[in-house]
Amino acid sequence: MRSIQQTWLSICLCLPLAVAASHSVASTRYQPLPAHASGHTAASGVTSSSVSSTTPAVHSEAAKNSSIVLGRAVNTLGVRYRWGGSSPEKGFDCSGLVRYAFDDIDSVDLSRTSNAMARTDGKKVARNALKPGDLLFFNIRGGRVNHVAIYLGNDRFIHAPRRGKAVTIDTLDKPYWKTRYALAKRVLPSNEPQLRVTAR
């Protein structure tokens, strides 16, 4: 009996050491950096207290706002199109859906129509620099911008297409949307003060 107890005690004492050793070995393996890391080591003499602690908070706030917008938009999937509509109960047109999705973001006050949004709201963003929550504008009838959607990431966007359709997810890879794409704008607040939206 005594030998069993000693064996059990040895296992209990040695197990944490074995785990620690395995972690130390694993730590020498390649591990990818987080998306926000630069890969550079701070210069000697720079302490953690001397590095600004506001940047992570800013990034998390921007991510939170984007998540709120996308969540509200995706929850409307299947809601029917209705010209002038701006609620899940009555239906949505394209700009009504966008305004509904951004409704919980206090610092964003969007114009009512897609053309007005394209002219007055937010900051232009290059096609190759799109982020989730950016607004995509299309010219589907010629002459000027007349359709707006919310970018989801990976070339996908959510929108209220047209009469007879419902809120759906589409892709910029489709020739129809690729040829009618006009511009994109970023209206969500970020760490850049000038991105605060509309002074009307």
Side-chain angles (χ1 to χ4, degrees):
M1 181 67 73
R2 185 177 178 85
S3 64
I4 293 174
Q5 289 175 339
Q6 286 177 333
T7 303
W8 179 249
L9 184 59
S10 298
I11 292 172
C12 290
L13 290 173
C14 292
L15 189 59
L17 296 175
V19 170
S22 68
H23 283 315
S24 67
V25 170
S27 67
T28 63
R29 297 175 186 162
Y30 168 75
Q31 295 179 6
L33 290 170
H36 63 273
S38 66
H40 296 287
T41 305
S44 59
V46 178
T47 63
S48 59
S49 61
S50 65
V51 178
S52 172
S53 61
T54 58
T55 302
V58 167
H59 286 308
S60 64
E61 185 66 21
K64 177 184 173 185
N65 287 336
S66 177
S67 178
I68 289 170
V69 169
L70 300 190
R72 282 177 67 87
V74 169
N75 281 335
T76 68
L77 282 169
V79 174
R80 66 192 174 93
Y81 179 95
R82 181 178 180 180
W83 188 83
S86 57
S87 71
E89 297 76 25
K90 295 182 178 179
F92 291 108
D93 64 9
C94 64
S95 56
L97 170 63
V98 170
R99 283 171 56 92
Y100 173 83
F102 281 82
D103 193 50
D104 283 347
I105 310 300
D106 294 334
S107 57
V108 177
D109 181 21
L110 295 171
S111 304
R112 178 58 185 94
T113 67
S114 58
N115 186 260
M117 287 180 192
R119 284 185 290 108
T120 61
D121 298 335
K123 176 185 177 183
K124 283 187 179 180
V125 181
R127 170 75 174 79
N128 62 359
L130 292 171
K131 291 183 179 180
D134 288 345
L135 300 185
L136 308 180
F137 296 94
F138 301 89
N139 183 338
I140 58 177
R141 286 190 296 274
R144 61 178 189 167
V145 166
N146 43 40
H147 189 65
V148 62
I150 303 170
Y151 187 66
L152 299 175
N154 297 322
D155 276 342
R156 297 176 305 152
F157 60 90
I158 186 168
H159 65 143
R162 59 183 171 83
R163 199 182 305 273
K165 298 290 185 179
V167 175
T168 188
I169 292 175
D170 229 315
T171 176
L172 284 168
D173 285 337
K174 285 186 179 177
Y176 180 87
W177 295 112
K178 189 179 290 186
T179 57
R180 288 163 175 80
Y181 175 84
L183 72 148
K185 284 200 164 183
R186 184 161 300 149
V187 297
L188 283 172
S190 73
N191 57 331
E192 300 179 53
Q194 66 267 31
L195 291 187
R196 185 174 179 83
V197 185
T198 58
R200 285 188 281 167

